[in-house]
Amino acid sequence: MKGRVFSGARPTGRQHIGNYLGAIQNYVKLQDDYDCIYCIVDIHALTTLEATPMKSGLQENIHEMMLDWLAAGLDPQRSILFVQSHVPQVMELHTLLSMVTPLGWLTRVATFKEKARMQPDNINYGLVGYPVLMTADIVLYKANIVPVGEDQLPHLELAREIVRRFHYLFGPTFPEPQAKLTNAPLVLGLDGVNKMSKSLNNDIELAASPEDTRERVISAFTDPARRYRSDPGHPEVCNVYRLHSFYNPERLGELGAECRSAGIGCVECKEALARSINKELEPFRERRAELAARPGYVKEVIADGARRASAIATETLTEVKQKMGLISRQVIPD
Ligand code: SF4
């Protein structure tokens, strides 16, 4: 039997190449070997409303993000693609799991401390309970595999602790979710310093036009020591070079040597990168335009995903309530 993967991502709207290289391409590959459930976690986004970029509104962000996922190869025939709040059972399970989760486990989470520092005027309950909701997301669907980067391992370990505590109190119910470590590369933004991020405006959207993509790439920071065309460059400190490693791996050695000998100028180097990104993204953009032209298609995918996710969620929640003594065993269907 195939394992079941669960992963969620915040509704940040149009996705950028950092989202693709860091997560989406892995999501697409996992579909070959697992039953996958991919969720846009809109409730999680409410914990940091001020920090989450929602210029065009939550619904618009969800629509654009799902369109990108679909165009990139997430397949609604093979995977369940849905929006977290459309399956409200997750909030019920969150409440039930919160009863078995000691507060101290939550207040010592590093990301809670970091978020509390970043938004001292809005240290809301949701922020503290975030890992419990995340655990509910995973175990509601009895997922046993969660693709994570190394930085997210402590969160998954906390989810496993909550599961173990539930099992200790009420008996075995969920698979203990296992991390599937992904080799997601760290993709820096056009500023060459921070992780690529929409909110920092240092990103290249997958769905941007070829001309916009070119303009964005041309604006990228490079080796600060290279002030004149004749200055030899240091590709190892240049983020344009790093981006070439994703889009031009076969030319990397040659580009590096040309940079070091000042054989190539930065504008030329960036033009080559923009051409490669545009070439690689052409099929994605065509597919996205086709899907966008199908009226109601994204809504249908999301509604179907919610129906399928809800069926699993209802079964799990019934079992949980039974084990916690909230409903009698007699009413549980076989
Ligand atoms: Fe960076 Fe390319 Fe300029 Fe070298 S030539 S500093 S790799 S942009």
Side-chain angles (χ1 to χ4, degrees), residues 52-64:
T52 306
M54 294 200 190
K55 289 179 200 144
S56 44
L58 193 48
Q59 293 309 311
E60 178 77 9
N61 276 2
I62 290 169
H63 179 91
E64 294 293 319

Side-chain angles (χ1 to χ4, degrees), residues 258-276:
E258 287 186 335
C259 171
R260 284 190 192 92
S261 65
I264 188 173
C266 290
V267 172
E268 200 185 328
C269 186
K270 289 173 177 179
E271 293 280 12
L273 176 62
R275 277 196 301 277
S276 299

Side-chain angles (χ1 to χ4, degrees), residues 220-227 231-240 259 266:
F221 280 76
T222 62
D223 170 12
R226 198 168 185 206
R227 295 171 59 207
D231 290 340
H234 306 85
E236 61 282 358
V237 301
C238 175
N239 194 39
V240 171
C259 171
C266 290

Side-chain angles (χ1 to χ4, degrees), residues 48-266:
T48 53
L49 259 184
E50 288 153 32
T52 306
M54 294 200 190
K55 289 179 200 144
S56 44
L58 193 48
Q59 293 309 311
E60 178 77 9
N61 276 2
I62 290 169
H63 179 91
E64 294 293 319
M65 185 164 166
M66 187 58 81
L67 202 47
D68 279 344
W69 277 10
L70 293 165
L74 292 193
D75 179 356
Q77 304 300 320
R78 292 196 287 164
S79 300
I80 297 179
L81 310 175
F82 75 110
V83 177
Q84 187 185 28
S85 68
H86 296 189
V87 183
Q89 293 93 320
V90 75
M91 293 179 257
E92 208 174 338
L93 184 58
H94 166 232
T95 302
L96 298 177
L97 292 179
S98 75
M99 306 304 170
V100 305
T101 308
L103 189 57
W105 289 6
L106 303 175
T107 50
R108 70 168 186 243
V109 171
T111 45
F112 166 68
K113 290 184 189 164
E114 173 65 7
K115 295 234 167 81
R117 192 185 59 75
M118 284 165 66
Q119 53 181 62
D121 299 330
N122 183 22
I123 306 175
N124 55 68
Y125 162 72
L127 214 50
V128 188
Y130 192 103
V132 185
L133 182 56
M134 195 194 88
T135 306
D137 282 325
I138 300 165
V139 301
L140 184 60
Y141 305 104
K142 297 212 169 175
N144 47 6
I145 294 156
V146 182
V148 286
E150 226 159 296
D151 56 327
Q152 295 161 310
L153 279 176
H155 293 144
L156 193 65
E157 189 46 43
L158 182 48
R160 287 155 57 85
E161 276 181 49
I162 295 171
V163 166
R164 285 196 285 266
R165 185 156 167 79
F166 185 94
H167 289 176
Y168 173 72
L169 294 168
F170 302 108
T173 307
F174 312 109
E176 231 178 78
Q178 306 293 320
K180 182 164 180 59
L181 268 181
T182 55
N183 279 332
L186 173 65
V187 183
L188 295 183
L190 297 172
D191 54 14
V193 180
N194 298 295
K195 193 172 165 183
M196 188 172 283
S197 150
K198 186 181 282 263
S199 56
L200 294 174
N201 192 26
N202 65 3
D203 60 325
I204 299 172
E205 287 181 352
L206 297 171
S209 68
E211 191 43 44
D212 281 349
T213 301
R214 182 186 163 276
E215 275 176 28
R216 299 288 284 175
V217 173
I218 294 291
S219 74
F221 280 76
T222 62
D223 170 12
R226 198 168 185 206
R227 295 171 59 207
Y228 300 103
R229 171 69 177 76
S230 53
D231 290 340
H234 306 85
E236 61 282 358
V237 301
C238 175
N239 194 39
V240 171
Y241 184 72
R242 188 194 283 248
L243 289 170
H244 270 297
S245 72
F246 302 122
Y247 291 96
N248 265 323
E250 70 295 341
R251 280 195 65 199
L252 208 57
E254 174 198 339
L255 284 166
E258 287 186 335
C259 171
R260 284 190 192 92
S261 65
I264 188 173
C266 290

